[in-house]
Each structure stands twice: as C-alpha cells, then as structure tokens.
Amino acid sequence: MSRRRIIVQGIQPLGQLVSVSVQLAKAGVFVGVGQGVLNVGGYSANYAVQGAVEAETTWMQIGEDDVRYDAATDVYVITIPAPQLTSCRVEMIDQYDESVSTCNLDWDGVRQLAQYQALSDFRDDALEGGILTRAETETRFVLANRALADRAQREIVFAPPTGETVYPPSCLPEIPIGWRFDTQNNHWTK
C-alpha cells in the first residue's frame, strides 16, 4: 500500500471537524421605522443581541490526488478544502429604549429587522476577526498531531477558494417580507 493511500486512510475517518465557534454580542443595534407624512408616526428601538458564528473544514472527499510527495524536501503535501462558515445564529435579542408613537407599532417586525442587521454584522465581524484563519490553524493542528499516526513529514495546505464565497443560508439573512431600507431618510419603511 502506498504511503499516499495510508495518509488518505488516516484522514478520511475524521470526516469533518467543526473547528471554531465564536460567541458575539452587540448592544445598540438601532432600528428606526419611518411612517406617515413627514415621519409623524415613526418609531424606533435599540437592541442588545447575542449570537454565534461557526466555521468548519471538511475533508471527507480527500483522495490520493490531494496528497503529493515533494522529493526535494522529503515532505508529503496534503491539500484540503479551505474552511467555510457553517452557521450564524442569534441566541438572544433584547429590546430597550423604545420610542412612543400615536400610530400602529409593529414591534415584532422591528425585532426581525434588528435580528437581520445583527446576523449580517456577526457574520462580517467573525470574518474580519479571522474565524477562517483560526479554523485553518485548528485543522492543521488536528491533522498534524492526532490524525496521522505515521512518521512521514507532512505539510497541510488549503485549496484556494474557487469562485464566489458561498455562505450557508443561516449566514445570509433576508430582509423581512414587506420591509425596505430608505437610504435617503436612513430608516426602514413598510
């Protein structure tokens, strides 16, 4: 049996690893709603939101073609897919600093808008904070130290992303139905 096959057989049983989960919190998620002529029925609230973003590396489909031997350095180079986000979620949302209005108030809709904003911010903050880099580091550690029992020197590299970044649906929140953001007046309308 070739050493490449032995390396692949040592990796495949692991399947996938949820490498990193980051907890995030944000206060002051402001949602303002414009309503009525000259915004006479407008209202707003602030929200404190907590949530999490997770990333994982999957190497279930790795094959012998993903392992190459570099004779010059006497190292096996293992190429695995780059880490990706796997989930984004809001775990708690709390409304405060509500305004008053004489018009109909849709607090549930405003909470949904706050959740939409927070999920988008959490995803972006996790990416900017290096969640994928941390997932790579964790994956390298696991594959180098626990998964591969043979003594061959190895280097773990990640395949470059192909095309557009694909996020799971939980990391691509949709604007609640019927709402739109008025950029001119900087508030939401329905």
Side-chain angles (χ1 to χ4, degrees):
M1 182 179 291
S2 76
R3 179 154 281 190
R4 287 178 12 170
R5 178 168 290 195
I6 291 170
I7 290 171
V8 169
Q9 287 178 345
I11 293 171
Q12 284 179 334
L14 296 173
Q16 59 191 21
L17 168 73
V18 176
S19 299
V20 177
S21 178
V22 293
Q23 299 293 314
L24 299 150
K26 188 172 202 160
V29 177
F30 177 78
V31 178
V33 175
Q35 189 169 272
V37 177
L38 299 174
N39 197 26
V40 131
Y43 56 101
S44 64
N46 277 300
Y47 292 85
V49 186
Q50 292 178 340
V53 176
E54 296 174 342
E56 108 184 346
T57 304
T58 302
W59 54 81
M60 224 178 313
Q61 302 302 321
I62 193 170
E64 285 186 56
D65 292 341
D66 299 311
V67 179
R68 69 176 173 77
Y69 178 68
D70 183 343
T73 59
D74 192 29
V75 171
Y76 284 89
V77 179
I78 306 166
T79 303
I80 60 174
Q84 295 183 349
L85 294 184
T86 55
S87 74
C88 302
R89 65 183 173 275
V90 167
E91 297 172 336
M92 186 281 299
I93 187 165
D94 190 29
Q95 179 176 314
Y96 65 95
D97 288 341
E98 308 89 1
S99 67
V100 294
S101 176
T102 57
C103 297
N104 291 334
L105 306 176
D106 180 3
W107 290 121
D108 187 52
V110 174
R111 182 197 51 77
Q112 290 174 26
L113 291 168
Q115 183 165 328
Y116 161 79
Q117 287 177 211
L119 273 173
S120 297
D121 290 348
F122 286 168
R123 177 200 62 220
D124 296 344
D125 290 348
L127 289 169
E128 289 173 18
I131 188 171
L132 297 179
T133 301
R134 288 173 50 203
E136 285 182 2
T137 301
E138 179 68 19
T139 300
R140 276 191 178 95
F141 175 79
V142 168
L143 289 178
N145 295 314
R146 291 195 330 216
L148 306 175
D150 72 324
R151 301 287 181 206
Q153 292 291 331
R154 66 191 67 64
E155 177 184 351
I156 308 298
V157 297
F158 292 90
T162 57
E164 258 186 65
T165 302
V166 177
Y167 297 122
S170 65
C171 294
L172 290 172
E174 293 185 15
I175 296 173
I177 295 173
W179 290 94
R180 70 175 185 78
F181 190 72
D182 181 344
T183 55
Q184 184 177 11
N185 294 307
N186 203 30
H187 61 233
W188 290 93
T189 60
K190 189 170 188 180

